[in-house]
Every structure is written in C-alpha cells, then in structure tokens.
Amino acid sequence: MSSQTDESRAVDKQEEHSPFIKALEWIGLDLKGPDKSSILQIVIYAMLVFVPAAFAAKLLGLSNLWLFFTSVPAIIPLAKILSHATEQLALRVGAGIGGLLSATFGNAVEMIIAFFALQAGLFDVVKSSIAGSIIGNVLFVLGLSFYLGGLGREEQTFNKKAAGISATQLTLAAMALVIPAAFVLTSPPNALSGELQEELSIGVSIILLVAYAAQMVFFLRTHKHLYAGEDDEAPEHAWSIKHSAGVLIGATVLVAIVADILVQGLEYLTETVGLSELFVGVIVVALVGSAAENVTAVIAALKDRVELSVNIVTGSSLQIALFVAPVLVLLGFFIGRPLDLFFNPFEVVAIFVTMLIVNAIIEDGRSNWFEGVQLLAGYAILAVAFFFHP
C-alpha cells in the first residue's frame, strides 16, 4: 500500500513539474484545478498543432489549399486563448477598464482577419464578414446556446431589460446598414459617385463610433448593474496582470500571422472551389473569426448561465457593428483602400430579418431548446440562400 502511495505521489509530482503541463496551464487549459477543462476545450487546445503546420505551409510555398486547411483550425485555439487572456486581465484591472479591454479585444480576431482582407482588396469579403458576424452570432451561436442549454431543462431565464437594450442597439446598427443601401437604390445613377459614397460611409461610421462610446458609458458606468456578472471579485487563481498581458500580446501576434495566411488561403475557396466572396465572408470567415465567443457562449449556456450567453452574443454583435465596421471604414480611408458601408441588398435584408427574429425571441427574458431550434433553422435558411446567391 505504501509503495503504491509513493508511486502515485511521484506521478503527481512529475505531472506538476512537467513543462508540457505547465505550458498548457500558462495559456489557460486547466487540467488539475477544480474547474477542469471540458472535452470541448481540450479538443480546441489540441488544434494548436495546426499553428506550426500553417507556418510550414506558408514557408514551403504550398498551395492555397494547404494554407486554408491549416490556418482555419490554427486560428480557432488562438482566438480562444486571446479571449481567455482578455477575461483574466479584466478580472485584475477592475470592471470599468476590464470591460473596455474586453470590448476592444473581444473581436480582435475578426478585426485582424478583416484588416488583412482589406489590404488584399477583398472588399466584398470584408463587408460580408461583418454582416455574417452579426447574423452568425444572433442566429447560430445564440441558437446553439439556447438549444444545448435548454436540453433537460424546462426553460432558462435572463435579464430581459438588458437584452432588450442590446437588441435596440442592434436595430440601430441594422439601420446604419439599411440607410446607405436605400440611398443607393433611390438615387439617380448619374448622381452617385465614389467620393459621395465614401463621404457618406465616413459620416455614418463616425456616428456609429459615437453611439458605441455612449454604449460603453451606459454598460460600464451608469447602468453597469444590468450587466454585472455573478462574481465581482477576481478568483483566487486568476492570472496576474503581467501573465495576462504576456499571453494577450503573444496570442494577438500569432493571430495576426495566421490571419494573413488565412486570407491567402481564402483564394482556394473563391478561385478553385468556386464559392462566392459573399458566401465565404458571411459564413466561413464570420464563423472562424468568432470561434472564441462561440465556444464561451455555448459553455455558459450548458452551465445554466444563459444570461452570460446572451450578453456575449449581443455584445459581440454590437462590437462588430458599432466598432469594428466603422473602424475598418476609417482605416481603409487612411491606407488607400476605401471601404464603404453600401452592403449587398440581400445582406441588408438578411440582417433586417435577423433583427426581427432576435427581438421576438428575447422579449420575454426566457429561452428553451425549441427557440434554439428556431434560431438555428433561420440561420440554415440564410446559409443555403447565401450559398446559391449568384
């Protein structure tokens, strides 16, 4: 008995000092703590093997096929690490600054991918990825969260007042996409010019950034009680500021490199497979870019914390619409790659319909698995339509 106990202690000690285990724990995979990582999280972290694979494919000059199929799974765990590092840093610096950091880095992956696509001149991919992120978050991620979280439960509840305010902001964001499209459709062809469209896009972008700033004040200061989480104090095992910042910077650099490879790999889908830039942006890029939020929201719902899922989904969508989109428009202006807010009419209709659905679903502050199915069905319908859209 004594020898077995000594042997088990030796194994535990070996695991404790294992460089591999330490490396995994350092980037957020907890294999020994009370909140052990789920199988889903372990699978996501295992996909880190594709990071060096993507680098190798790039250095060896392999085809776009290899660039795409190595960079897509590589960026998913990096997005998860970036998201986790942001959350840990937010725990240490306080709710106000932490919320601002979460808002800034929450959609860093989408921003980085879109920036490289913008530099590559893939304007349709950039705009459709913006639309796809909004549609995907609201219909796919929230639908999956409601469905999986509702299995085995009569219903789940969340703060309908906070969700309603976020839904109103999303409607404002949809309006910012509808108005430019309506402007083009109702203007005489000879009255439209590239300069006019650019000026209108910049003007709308500035207004959206002002609305985003007001939203941050509302969420983080004047009405932060509506969005407060269950834990106000940092957990005992929360990362230090130095640790969080180090992981955050490292993950951001790696995401930027892999995103550049991914954008090159997208040519495989558009040129070889023959998929439209519209479908690639709305479905592929949007889902890959929001992988971290997808996992976090679904896991929260499984733990019966559907209010957190709703906050993640609506918060991410608002960041995309009110912050990422206008920033990309302004960045495009300064780097000589002008991006406008004149979205494809079909994208505008899809976003408008999405807003109608989400407002109807969250108005009562309750969810169940069937409402999740309804949201997923809506996303599937739009995905099929975007696939066949010429």
Side-chain angles (χ1 to χ4, degrees), residues 192-199:
L192 292 174
S193 65
E195 183 178 354
L196 178 61
Q197 295 184 36
E198 184 177 342
E199 290 175 351

Side-chain angles (χ1 to χ4, degrees), residues 27-276:
I27 59 176
L29 183 64
D30 184 10
L31 296 176
K32 298 185 299 181
D35 297 325
K36 294 182 179 180
S37 298
S38 66
I39 295 177
L40 178 59
Q41 289 175 308
I42 293 175
V43 171
I44 291 175
Y45 277 89
M47 295 169 71
L48 283 169
V49 298
F50 286 97
V51 175
F55 291 168
K58 172 67 174 178
L59 293 175
L60 295 175
L62 299 182
S63 66
N64 291 331
L65 168 66
W66 288 102
L67 294 180
F68 177 77
F69 282 106
T70 55
S71 60
V72 167
I75 210 165
I76 293 175
L78 292 176
K80 175 60 178 173
I81 294 171
L82 191 151
S83 176
H84 185 69
T86 303
E87 294 171 2
Q88 291 293 316
L89 185 58
L91 290 174
R92 289 296 186 184
V93 298
I97 298 177
L100 182 59
L101 287 171
S102 297
T104 302
F105 288 96
N107 286 292
V109 176
E110 290 95 327
M111 175 75 81
I112 293 171
I113 294 176
F115 177 74
F116 281 107
L118 184 64
Q119 281 193 318
L122 301 174
F123 302 110
D124 289 339
V125 170
V126 174
K127 289 193 288 187
S128 57
S129 67
I130 293 172
S133 293
I134 298 172
I135 296 169
N137 281 334
V138 173
L139 296 182
F140 179 74
V141 182
L142 191 59
L144 192 61
S145 299
F146 281 179
Y147 173 70
L148 294 179
L151 292 177
R153 299 184 176 99
E154 179 70 20
E155 63 180 16
Q156 294 179 294
T157 61
F158 51 89
N159 189 324
K160 66 178 181 180
K161 184 175 181 180
I165 293 171
S166 296
T168 301
Q169 275 287 82
L170 283 173
T171 304
L172 170 65
M175 176 183 175
L177 304 182
V178 171
I179 295 303
F183 180 86
V184 171
L185 294 175
T186 57
S187 299
N190 57 356
L192 292 174
S193 65
E195 183 178 354
L196 178 61
Q197 295 184 36
E198 184 177 342
E199 290 175 351
L200 177 59
S201 297
I202 292 175
V204 172
S205 296
I206 293 174
I207 295 172
L208 288 178
L209 288 175
V210 172
Y212 180 76
Q215 169 190 300
M216 296 300 293
V217 174
F218 184 88
F219 285 3
L220 303 179
R221 183 166 296 276
T222 64
H223 290 71
K224 62 181 180 181
H225 59 280
L226 294 177
Y227 305 91
E230 295 181 2
D231 301 315
D232 295 326
E233 297 182 359
E236 180 182 353
H237 299 291
W239 292 354
S240 66
I241 294 179
K242 183 178 179 180
H243 183 180
S244 303
V247 175
L248 184 63
I249 293 172
T252 302
V253 171
L254 289 175
V255 166
I257 297 173
V258 176
D260 186 28
I261 299 173
L262 172 62
V263 170
Q264 297 178 51
L266 291 178
E267 295 181 2
Y268 165 75
L269 297 180
T270 57
E271 297 179 1
T272 305
V273 179
L275 298 178
S276 67

